[in-house]
Amino acid sequence: MSLPTAQKAYSPDLVVIGAGIMGLWCAYEALKTGLTVTVIDRDSPGAGASGGVLGALMPHMPSRWNAKKQFQLEALMALEEAAHALEEETGLSTGYRRCGRIVPLTASHLREHAEIRAEGALDFWPERFSFAVMDTSPYTGWPGAGRAPHGVSLDTFSARVMPRALLETLVAAIEKRGGTIISGETVTAIGGDGLVTTSSGQSHSAGAVVIAAGVESFDLMEQTPRAVPGSAIKGQAALFAANAPADLPILYDDRFYLVAHDNGDVAVGATSETAYGDPFTTDDQLEALIGKARAATPLLADAPVIERWAGLRPRSVMREPLVGPLGGRLYALTSGFKISFGIAQLAAHALVASLGNPGKILAVPEGFLPDRHLSLIKDRQDKVS
Ligand SMILES: Cc1cc2nc3c(=O)[nH]c(=O)nc-3n(C[C@H](O)[C@H](O)[C@H](O)COP(=O)(O)OP(=O)(O)OC[C@H]3O[C@@H](n4cnc5c(N)ncnc54)[C@H](O)[C@@H]3O)c2cc1C
């Protein structure tokens, strides 16, 4: 692949703005194709929403199937191999495990829904994954006694990573492949000609620029021909030192998740807040979740909370991921909202394959493309006016 020749002192083929899960996968995928890559972060890798504690990788429920659900399914399958390849390349662990997901069924209609989903899984999921409904949990105390009066559903497709471990592994792989990661530089200006300027006055002239700056992407996109609007949805989560078995499935109970990691820690999350004061402090809403987590399983009843954490998820107005051309040499890779960890690798792979190749169709659902976001927003506005 060849990208337009860059002119300035710093002249990589690709500049990626933001070293979160989106930006790091993008850099890694680009390096694999032989491009030279610089990642610029105003802070450091994982300083944004990606540096949290949950790392749940869950397929959409197998009903009312659509292109987004299909893409996410393919992404979740591709990620398993990609995570293992990264581990082999670096000798580090990503904390990836296809652990499955268990859901206590607390009412008869929920059991009926679960049975319909079990049928849907036969239609939409690959054969090696199952979605079963059973009378009791095969995992003692997960969920706790009396919490699943109508049984449980258990899928074998869901997985998890340790977010910080995955980011560290990506950073190591990027550096090993000769990529440059610049921390502590804020990108202040971007031009359609690929010129990127930072707060300290550095400029980089790149063949392509990918905006993967999390919630800041929406402001940065205002400097591009296709400014897609979006917002920042706050989330809070906590981590217990629980000495949990590493093979526990993700437990989804009463609208919160428990994710048991390889080191025995268990994460609980997450709140979803559109209105908030300080985006990065935790409050009573998290304490309520911690209380619910303790009540959900005896494993957490007395386990110490070792971290409380809050971050901002990027979400476009259309609530879809945003992947693709913004005009000139500029591209978006953002708005993963609650599924960034599951889709980042495949979305980055698809985007990189399209760089410098305008004739190539970007292999993501149409609803992810910036143009599509903008035309849907316009349709909406036309209807209102
Ligand atoms: C509590 C909580 C729990 C979550 N749980 C899950 C989960 O279980 N599974 C899942 O898939 N997702 C989950 N999410 C969502 C997920 O964490 C986010 O969608 C994802 O991390 C976004 O990644 P990103 O790379 O787009 O952005 P970020 O990780 O925010 O990265 C953006 C980076 O850009 C940098 N940056 C910003 N502006 C500039 C600039 N001008 N110049 C240079 N650098 C800049 C920032 O410093 C940052 O490092 C959760 C989110 C929260 C808050």
Side-chain angles (χ1 to χ4, degrees):
M1 180 193 319
S2 74
L3 293 174
T5 318
Q7 313 287 341
K8 290 277 161 100
Y10 300 99
S11 53
D13 293 321
L14 175 66
V15 163
V16 179
I17 306 172
I21 194 65
M22 292 290 202
L24 292 176
W25 270 120
C26 183
Y28 178 67
E29 290 295 328
L31 286 161
K32 282 206 300 189
T33 70
L35 296 181
T36 55
V37 180
T38 297
V39 183
I40 305 174
D41 197 285
R42 68 174 176 190
D43 199 318
S44 57
S50 304
V53 293
L54 270 160
L57 305 168
M58 292 178 296
H60 284 285
M61 285 297 177
S63 58
R64 285 177 293 168
W65 209 243
N66 60 32
K68 178 176 161 184
K69 291 184 179 185
Q70 181 63 27
F71 181 84
Q72 195 210 14
L73 178 147
E74 286 165 19
L76 289 172
M77 290 181 41
L79 182 56
E80 178 166 23
E81 204 176 303
H84 289 146
L86 263 183
E87 291 179 340
E88 227 164 80
E89 183 171 342
T90 57
L92 300 173
S93 169
T94 61
Y96 182 96
R97 187 181 186 113
R98 199 174 285 287
C99 55
R101 167 180 46 184
I102 193 161
V103 182
L105 303 170
T106 51
S108 57
H109 74 277
L110 295 177
R111 183 161 177 134
E112 281 158 26
H113 289 173
E115 277 158 0
I116 292 167
R117 283 166 177 163
E119 297 277 311
L122 294 175
D123 291 338
F124 301 117
W125 286 4
E127 217 172 304
R128 70 184 169 111
F129 304 123
S130 62
F131 186 109
V133 178
M134 33 188 95
D135 291 335
T136 51
S137 168
Y139 301 90
T140 310
W142 190 259
R147 295 194 60 94
H150 295 269
V152 295
S153 69
L154 180 63
D155 82 62
T156 60
F157 193 174
S158 301
R160 46 84 170 152
V161 286
M162 279 180 92
R164 292 167 195 165
L166 173 57
L167 297 176
E168 275 167 30
T169 308
L170 278 165
V171 167
I174 288 166
E175 288 174 345
K176 199 168 171 202
R177 285 177 181 262
T180 303
I181 300 178
I182 301 174
S183 293
E185 283 285 336
T186 302
V187 171
T188 49
I190 42 179
D193 58 355
L195 190 66
V196 173
T197 311
T198 69
S199 45
S200 72
Q202 282 182 21
S203 56
H204 306 253
S205 179
V209 178
V210 171
I211 300 176
V215 295
E216 308 300 330
S217 304
F218 304 110
D219 280 349
L220 282 171
M221 275 188 285
E222 284 177 9
Q223 302 180 41
T224 77
R226 295 184 180 87
V228 178
S231 58
I233 311 298
K234 181 173 174 177
Q236 303 183 41
L239 196 61
F240 294 89
N243 208 15
D247 65 348
L248 285 178
I250 295 167
L251 173 60
Y252 178 67
D253 188 346
D254 193 15
R255 284 176 289 166
F256 64 92
Y257 290 98
L258 298 177
V259 183
H261 288 293
D262 282 344
N263 62 359
D265 292 349
V266 174
V268 59
T271 65
S272 192
E273 304 162 49
T274 49
Y276 44 85
D278 186 330
F280 304 114
T281 54
T282 61
D283 58 29
D284 290 355
Q285 297 179 72
L286 183 59
E287 298 315 309
L289 267 191
I290 290 170
K292 283 182 169 189
R294 291 197 188 285
T297 169
L299 197 71
L300 300 182
D302 301 312
V305 174
I306 52 173
E307 186 173 347
R308 290 172 170 80
W309 184 87
L312 292 177
R313 311 172 179 96
R315 188 185 76 177
S316 97
V317 169
M318 296 316 303
R319 296 170 161 257
E320 295 288 312
L322 189 57
V323 182
L326 294 167
R329 297 185 184 183
L330 310 176
Y331 298 82
L333 181 62
T334 187
S335 182
F337 190 34
K338 293 186 177 176
I339 60 168
S340 295
F341 275 84
I343 62 162
Q345 185 271 333
L346 191 61
H349 179 82
L351 183 63
V352 165
S354 77
L355 294 179
N357 194 353
K360 188 169 164 73
I361 291 176
L362 183 50
V364 297
E366 193 192 1
F368 291 11
L369 300 175
D371 267 345
R372 182 71 180 152
H373 281 244
L374 290 173
S375 71
L376 290 173
I377 292 168
K378 186 170 175 305
D379 288 352
R380 223 191 236 181
Q381 286 163 346
D382 289 348
K383 268 190 201 140
V384 174
S385 59

